[in-house]
Amino acid sequence: MSNDILVITEHMDGKFSDVSFEMVGKAKELANALGGQAVAVVVGGGVSSNVFASDSTIHIDDAALSNFNPEAYGKVIEALVKEKSPKVVMFGWTVTGMDVAAWLSARMGAPCVAYAKDVRTEGGALMVSSQAYGGKLMAEVAPEGDMAIVACLAGSFPVEAGQGSTAATTIASPVDLGSLKVKFTEAIKPAGGDVDITAQAKLVSIGRGIGGKENVELAEELAKALGATVSASRPVVDAGWLPRTRQVGKSGLKVKPKLYFMLGISGAPEHLEGMKSAELIIAINTDKKAPIFNVAHYGATADLFEVAEAMLELL
Amino acid sequence: MNIVVAIKHIPSIADDLPVKGVNVDFDSVDFVLNEFDEQSIEQAVLVKEAVGGTVTVVGVDLIGELDAVLHLALAKGADKAVKITGDDPAADSHQQAKWLSEAIKGMSADIVFAGVQASNDLDGQIGAMIAAYLDMPYIGGVSSVEVSGNTATVNKEFAGGVGAKYEAALPMVVGVQAASKPPRYAPISKVRQIAQSATIEKVAPTGEASAGITFKKMAPPVAAGHAEMIEGSSKEVAAKIVELLKSKGLA
Ligand SMILES: Cc1cc2nc3c(=O)[nH]c(=O)nc-3n(C[C@H](O)[C@H](O)[C@H](O)COP(=O)(O)OP(=O)(O)OC[C@H]3O[C@@H](n4cnc5c(N)ncnc54)[C@H](O)[C@@H]3O)c2cc1C
């Protein structure tokens, strides 16, 4: 057992995601408080790993790890965690981290806290803030036992604190990856052919509150009157009301327009990841407790249809 | 083929979420089907329609109201419904995943579907844990599944339209983000008819697992800031927004 903090970093196309640096910065803080080391873990090749401010960096390279493969990554991380027996293993609560974090927790019988917004020590014990219930509640929880898995929401800690130049030690896979049941077969590229919402100065963004495909037209009209483009939350796209190219958020696109005008979007953490740095955020929502009001600059508790129609008359 | 869908009945986040002590006040909230389970049920039914087989939907009955959800799943094309009489609204993901795994063991599942996550997954998602407990591979964030023989081909989404295609030897667990087609609609008349005729198999919970976390506090997040609220009727709100946008050169 050690007091080390293992950070499972993430990279794609030769670049680490911000959440990797965010976690390394946080891990340093925790390691200081616990008297351990902050160890960055890089799985898979094709990336230069001497970029963290960690106490040490372990880079595991193997041909089977060159693309994200939840089975292979899970096996490698499990073996490493067993060998190092750290105090905390940090994952991103991301599209890749979430494939492994809870799996590892169940495999090892170690506690897992997901949707983590903060991790700290209180009187020597670990305390995690978890932003559950779509951002409506914050739970303060204490993991029991010798080791905890913490899966962190992207954007929770500063990026800079994790950036550095610690030289990585490259090792071979600690487990045999010869007989995997899951095989990566090909990369899927974005469809393209639509407007690029990341390049728009103004977005009118609609959520499930829009109610149906037939109402998307109202948003289109409002967008036109404002010289804006229509974007959306994930459920709108999953329902087939708008194409995937319009989706903002964790599994969509990250946007930073001058105006982000939101109609009927609750403000789930996954949506916020894609738009929270927009310059001016205005949200219309019938639920006065919608989490989006904690993030928007201006808000109104109102019916989106009434407001949109009234705005159209004035524009 | 034996297709299993593990579902989660969760407190609705559409309404207020009152807190009692250090957890949700489960007595004063509505429970609903996890939104991603709608996608996972649809994906399971699509696979059945493509290759044949049986879709069994299984969930933990936390508050004695799971029947309505199971009836809806049957109306949408599932063939069998099983409820585990957990009777504990505070059962965490680990415990539910364990009970589900034990129930699924007897189903000779070729493929297990679960929603990619649920909003109350404080301790992680049941899909990934079921995979661990049943020693099957797991892929989450999936937006399409095709099965051919003993192999599943799944598309996993990363972000912004970027993703990856995988082939997996069955059995496996899939965490569904979105079905390859928007979920079908089940007319209320059909749901009612099924509610009258369908039998739901009851299973006692077996196996124990725990999240291993102690709740110290639960409360609405203390926001660093709050939106400046624009008051008034919808017309007044609209006028104030237009004025604001004009003042900033945005309209
Ligand atoms: C791995 C993963 C990735 C994800 N990626 C994304 C992503 O990229 N982008 C994304 O958006 N989500 C993403 N999600 C989904 C996310 O968890 C939420 O489910 C989603 O953001 C909710 O969308 P919404 O706000 O439109 O819907 P809801 O949360 O259902 O909110 C609808 C809102 O509309 C309001 N409303 C209803 N009627 C009206 C009316 N008449 N007038 C005004 N307001 C009204 C309601 O009060 C409510 O607040 C992801 C989830 C997972 C698990």
Side-chain angles (χ1 to χ4, degrees):
Chain A
M1 238 211 80
S2 76
N3 280 335
D4 293 351
I5 317 292
L6 244 52
V7 177
I8 311 302
T9 64
E10 305 180 352
H11 59 94
M12 191 167 276
D13 297 332
K15 263 192 70 185
F16 286 96
S17 58
D18 284 354
V19 72
S20 305
F21 298 103
E22 292 163 16
M23 292 190 293
V24 168
K26 192 63 185 179
K28 281 179 67 184
E29 215 180 289
L30 290 172
N32 268 337
L34 294 164
Q37 303 252 302
V39 184
V41 178
V42 179
V43 184
V47 68
S48 159
S49 46
N50 304 341
V51 295
F52 294 107
S54 47
D55 294 310
S56 63
T57 299
I58 300 173
H59 191 160
I60 305 165
D61 208 353
D62 187 290
L65 303 170
S66 53
N67 289 101
F68 177 72
N69 177 328
E71 187 190 18
Y73 277 51
K75 285 193 163 157
V76 163
I77 293 165
E78 181 183 29
L80 189 72
V81 167
K82 282 190 171 150
E83 182 197 320
K84 303 278 171 195
S85 54
K87 184 84 188 150
V88 183
V89 185
M90 295 173 86
F91 284 91
W93 186 244
T94 57
V95 287
T96 53
M98 62 194 299
D99 275 15
V100 184
W103 172 86
L104 185 67
S105 163
R107 287 275 293 188
M108 298 195 60
C112 172
V113 186
Y115 295 107
K117 263 311 253 186
D118 190 31
V119 200
R120 58 194 180 279
T121 53
E122 277 180 20
L126 213 58
M127 188 68 81
V128 188
S129 308
S130 168
Q131 188 174 17
Y133 294 101
K136 278 201 161 177
L137 291 173
M138 186 74 91
E140 305 297 335
V141 304
E144 301 149 9
D146 293 337
M147 185 191 96
I149 295 165
V150 179
C152 305
L153 289 169
S156 302
F157 321 118
V159 170
E160 299 73 31
Q163 292 170 329
S165 55
T166 303
T169 309
T170 302
I171 60 168
S173 170
V175 282
D176 176 27
L177 297 171
S179 54
L180 295 172
K181 292 181 193 142
V182 173
K183 288 194 175 59
F184 167 92
T185 56
E186 64 182 273
I188 298 169
K189 298 268 177 284
D194 190 19
V195 289
D196 176 5
I197 56 167
T198 64
Q200 307 300 314
K202 299 183 216 174
L203 293 172
V204 169
S205 209
I206 54 176
R208 193 169 1 225
I210 197 78
K213 191 168 190 167
E214 65 283 5
N215 300 331
V216 174
E217 203 185 327
L218 177 65
E220 298 277 6
E221 279 172 33
L222 182 62
K224 197 165 164 218
L226 288 169
T229 300
V230 176
S231 59
S233 68
R234 172 139 206 147
V236 170
V237 173
D238 286 345
W241 304 339
L242 277 175
R244 188 66 65 201
T245 41
R246 303 296 180 101
Q247 184 189 322
V248 173
K250 177 181 195 151
S251 52
L253 292 160
K254 311 245 175 321
V255 299
K256 207 185 160 190
K258 287 192 185 348
L259 171 65
Y260 195 69
F261 189 60
M262 306 173 73
L263 300 171
I265 298 180
S266 64
E270 294 86 4
H271 190 79
L272 301 183
E273 267 184 44
M275 46 58 71
K276 64 181 168 216
S277 33
E279 285 174 37
L280 178 66
I281 303 168
I282 306 179
I284 311 293
N285 197 304
T286 40
D287 176 5
K288 67 174 191 300
K289 292 197 180 153
I292 192 57
F293 292 134
N294 296 331
V295 176
H297 302 102
Y298 292 90
T301 313
D303 178 77
L304 72 89
F305 301 102
E306 289 178 19
V307 172
E309 269 155 23
M311 281 178 71
L312 275 172
E313 279 173 25
L314 298 169
L315 288 164
Chain B
M1 91 180 289
N2 292 325
I3 304 163
V4 174
V5 188
I7 60 168
K8 220 179 168 199
H9 209 203
I10 64 169
S12 166
I13 55 168
D15 312 312
D16 279 359
L17 280 167
V19 170
K20 193 171 166 190
V22 292
N23 211 333
V24 169
D25 179 5
F26 295 108
D27 290 335
S28 28
V29 293
D30 287 336
F31 273 67
V32 293
L33 178 65
N34 169 26
E35 61 172 299
F36 299 104
D37 294 354
E38 288 173 34
Q39 304 287 339
S40 107
I41 292 169
E42 180 63 32
Q43 189 61 67
V45 174
L46 288 172
V47 167
K48 177 187 82 168
E49 287 170 350
V51 299
T54 323
V55 174
T56 304
V57 178
V58 55
V60 180
D61 197 3
L62 300 167
I63 56 160
E65 291 177 10
L66 195 68
D67 287 11
V69 168
L70 293 171
H71 290 147
L72 186 65
L74 291 169
K76 290 188 172 197
D79 304 287
K80 273 201 248 173
V82 178
K83 65 174 174 190
I84 300 165
T85 49
D87 288 330
D88 174 9
D92 56 44
S93 293
H94 283 75
Q95 180 61 80
Q96 292 197 48
K98 190 68 180 183
W99 287 336
L100 287 160
S101 302
E102 291 300 317
I104 293 169
K105 270 184 189 164
M107 297 180 186
S108 323
D110 295 301
I111 187 164
V112 179
F113 290 95
V116 59
Q117 74 172 36
S119 64
N120 67 345
D121 282 343
L122 268 91
D123 55 324
Q125 337 86 300
I126 58 165
M129 295 181 209
I130 291 171
Y133 293 140
L134 295 179
D135 202 15
M136 294 181 187
Y138 175 76
I139 305 180
V142 167
S143 58
S144 93
V145 180
E146 279 172 31
V147 172
S148 162
N150 200 29
T151 306
T153 304
V154 308
N155 287 0
K156 175 179 173 64
E157 284 186 23
F158 296 127
V162 176
K165 210 182 255 300
Y166 297 92
E167 269 176 23
L170 299 179
M172 76 175 302
V173 182
V174 180
V176 179
Q177 174 91 55
S180 43
K181 282 187 199 160
R184 68 197 68 194
Y185 172 75
I188 196 82
S189 56
K190 189 170 177 194
V191 183
R192 276 209 199 108
Q193 180 207 326
I194 281 174
Q196 276 159 17
S197 57
T199 43
I200 291 170
E201 190 187 329
K202 268 208 230 172
V203 176
T206 49
E208 248 178 68
S210 154
I213 55 179
T214 309
F215 287 70
K216 297 286 184 188
K217 190 182 161 196
M218 194 177 291
V222 184
H226 193 276
E228 187 176 316
M229 297 306 282
I230 304 169
E231 308 292 342
S233 68
S234 295
K235 278 213 160 80
E236 287 161 354
V237 166
K240 286 180 195 166
I241 292 173
V242 170
E243 200 179 302
L244 174 75
L245 294 178
K246 284 192 171 150
S247 76
K248 297 194 180 269
L250 291 167

